[in-house]
Structures are given as C-alpha cells and as structure tokens.
Amino acid sequence: MTTIDAGVKAPKKQKINQFRRLLWHINRTDLGWITKAALTTLQPGARAKRAALLDQLPAKAEWSEASRKLDQDGYVDVSSLMDRSLAEAVAAVSDNKVSRLNELSGKQKIGHKSFWVSLLDEDLVNGAFATDHPFVRYALQPAALRIIGDFMQDLPQLSDVLLTLSQPTPNQALSYSQLWHLDHDDKRVCKLFIYLTDVQNTADGPFTFIPAGPSKPFRNSLKSHMSDAQVFAKTGPDAVKEMIAPRLSSFIVNTARCLHMGSRIQSDHSRLLYTATYIQQPRIYPEPPARFRAVGALTDLERTVMRL
C-alpha cells in the first residue's frame, strides 16, 4: 500500500461557530430530544410526506429483521442484504484513489486527523457530489433506506459519503476518533460502512464499538472523547465488539447510541473504509450547503433523501 508523503502540509482544522457549538452541547444531552421534537412539530407536512415516501420502498422480511436488530442492539451486519454490484463499483473507485494517494492527500480539505486521509475531495463540485456517483448510489439503495428508515420511522436524510484510508502514526498519542466517543451529528445518526480492504485482526484497526445497551451510561456524558481507562471504568472490556470482516463486508451502526472508536492501525497495516452518514430530518443544526447535485433523472424519494 502506498503511504503518504511526509512533506505534504495538512489543511487547517475548520472552525466551528459559537451557535453550532452551543447546539452541539445541547445535543449531547436529553435536551436534544426536546429540540428535535420542537423542530419536528413545526414541519408536520414534511414529516407526513417522508413517511409516505418510505412506504413506497419495497419491504422484505430480512430487511425488517435487520431494522429490528439495529433498533435493539444499535448495529447490524448487512453484507448479505446490500447490492454486491454497487459495492464492487465503490471498490473500483476506491482502488483508483489509493493508487494516487500522494497526489490526493495534498488536496483533502479536512486534515486534522493525522491517522487518515480523505480521498474523495476531488469529486466535489462546489462542495457537492454528483447523484450518479457510485458512493451516492450505494447509499441510496432501497435496502439501506428501508432498514434505516424503519428504525427511524421516517425516511432518512443522507448527510454525507466519505472514503478514508487509515494508516499507522507511530509515536503519536491516540486522538479524535481513535478515542471512544458518540456521534452528535443529530439525535439519530446511522452510518453505513463498507470495508474496502480485509480487516483480519486488531492490527488492521477495525471499527470497534460497544452495543447500545452497555453504551447507555455514556449518553449524557459531557466528555467528547474518552480513553480506554475512562470507558472501562463504567463498562468492562467484555462488552467491546470489533468488526473483523473481509473486504466488501457492510454494516450499519447507530453511532449516536453506540460508543465507538477505530483507526488504531499498527505498523505495516492500513484500512480503507467507505462511510455513508444518515440522520433523521429535520436536522437539529442549521443545514449546511448542499452536499449533492442532481445529475440525470431522480425520483421524488431520492430528492427528498438528499434534500434536492
């Protein structure tokens, strides 16, 4: 695997305005549910439309069971439920990106995480992905939308897609998402992942998490990121699950409920990962600039999922 040129200067960390910071702190607590409920009541027509669109998606017993498991445990393996051809298309794009790693690492817009490189920035036009991009098409497949939608009891909103290559950072302390944390993009956050390299053991830096039940004591914590010692003081290491799985394995995790971490890559290892993030509308934070741009014909459902 190609490695990053050490001479490349990382981009500066983006600043967060004070209003967003306040909302972020509110969202870390149960007060976030009150904010969410208030915003939802202001948009009854939009909620009814999304529910009707969700009902238009096909229903399958195995998708319903996956949604039930996602609700109960906070995660579910969906490798056998996702479209394999779409996963292969994602993998083909990803392999091309990795072959140009040194070039692309200098173009990433967010570079505060030294342990991974974001590889899709060149595909953005004015900050938006084309809706026919393989990474977007994978996130829009009916199985994913139905499983997550039934869990949220609402048609989900696709917030972003991402390709990251995690690599070892010897002699550096663990930081950011290498430490235990919950995601606070919104009150309900689901992430759909694909491993694009084999993750055979701990050395490969597997996505590591604690299921929803044992994660409950951490849901109102004011600590942003926690060490192993801080976490295991409240829940034993036996609760920890590592996603050890081969290339093209796919899984969904409710990262707002399941404490998690990853990218703890050991020497001579790496991990290539696809991530699609979904939230439940309406978003608690002010909507960011459009993340997707329409290319070709789109259904009303797809436009609603991407806010087009």
Side-chain angles (χ1 to χ4, degrees):
M1 183 75 71
T2 309
T3 56
I4 303 172
D5 185 345
V8 173
K9 185 178 179 180
K12 293 181 180 179
K13 182 178 177 180
Q14 293 183 335
K15 293 182 179 180
I16 302 174
N17 67 43
Q18 293 303 310
F19 178 62
R20 285 184 63 88
R21 189 179 297 277
L22 175 62
L23 284 175
W24 185 80
H25 282 292
I26 290 172
N27 197 34
R28 294 179 62 84
T29 72
D30 288 338
L31 290 174
W33 289 113
I34 298 174
T35 305
K36 188 76 169 178
L39 290 171
T40 302
T41 58
L42 294 174
Q43 303 180 22
R47 178 75 185 273
K49 176 186 176 182
R50 293 194 304 269
L53 289 171
L54 179 62
D55 286 341
Q56 292 179 11
L57 287 169
K60 296 184 179 181
E62 56 267 35
W63 296 357
S64 296
E65 175 58 22
S67 185
R68 184 199 65 78
K69 183 171 174 56
L70 178 61
D71 181 45
Q72 175 180 292
D73 301 327
Y75 73 99
V76 61
D77 187 326
V78 293
S79 302
S80 64
L81 305 180
M82 298 293 105
D83 187 316
R84 183 78 176 189
S85 65
L86 291 176
E88 292 285 5
V90 166
V93 172
S94 303
D95 290 344
N96 174 267
K97 301 293 185 184
V98 172
S99 72
R100 300 166 50 228
L101 179 59
N102 279 334
E103 172 194 350
L104 297 180
S105 63
K107 297 179 179 180
Q108 63 175 334
K109 293 179 172 56
I110 300 177
H112 61 282
K113 294 183 179 181
S114 61
F115 49 85
W116 62 244
V117 183
S118 176
L119 295 175
L120 287 185
D121 287 350
E122 68 173 354
D123 295 6
L124 296 166
V125 175
N126 295 324
F129 290 103
T131 54
D132 62 352
H133 193 291
F135 276 58
V136 178
R137 301 318 301 176
Y138 192 86
L140 293 177
Q141 62 183 293
L145 295 179
R146 187 85 212 197
I147 292 168
I148 296 171
D150 282 352
F151 156 66
M152 292 184 176
Q153 299 181 353
D154 200 348
L155 186 69
Q157 176 179 329
L158 179 61
S159 184
D160 202 3
V161 294
L162 190 66
L163 174 65
T164 52
L165 178 69
S166 296
Q167 297 188 117
T169 51
N171 304 318
Q172 289 189 21
L174 297 175
S175 62
Y176 295 105
S177 56
Q178 291 178 309
L179 296 169
W180 293 95
H181 63 285
L182 295 169
D183 289 340
H184 297 289
D185 306 63
D186 212 89
K187 289 309 291 182
R188 288 192 174 93
V189 182
C190 285
K191 292 190 175 179
L192 170 63
F193 300 99
I194 313 174
Y195 280 157
L196 296 164
T197 47
D198 291 328
V199 177
Q200 300 176 320
N201 50 50
T202 301
D204 290 325
F207 184 89
T208 304
F209 68 101
I210 296 173
S215 288
K216 191 173 182 179
F218 301 95
R219 288 180 199 162
N220 282 293
S221 173
L222 295 179
K223 291 175 179 162
S224 179
H225 293 83
M226 293 170 278
S227 67
D228 291 359
Q230 289 172 312
V231 170
F232 297 150
K234 288 188 175 182
T235 184
D238 291 345
V240 173
K241 291 187 176 294
E242 291 184 332
M243 293 301 294
I244 304 296
R247 178 179 177 271
L248 297 189
S249 297
S250 193
F251 51 98
I252 300 171
V253 182
N254 180 348
T255 54
R257 288 184 66 199
C258 294
L259 202 68
H260 59 283
M261 59 83 169
S263 293
R264 297 187 183 183
I265 310 295
Q266 296 183 21
S267 298
D268 300 321
H269 292 256
S270 63
R271 188 199 70 188
L272 190 62
L273 184 70
Y274 164 100
T275 307
T277 301
Y278 307 80
I279 65 165
Q280 182 186 41
Q281 297 184 53
R283 188 189 295 269
I284 285 181
Y285 303 104
E287 280 289 349
R291 195 59 169 169
F292 306 100
R293 53 188 173 87
V295 175
L298 295 171
T299 66
D300 192 19
L301 183 147
E302 290 173 330
R303 287 185 174 277
T304 302
V305 169
M306 294 182 286
R307 291 190 68 255
L308 293 175

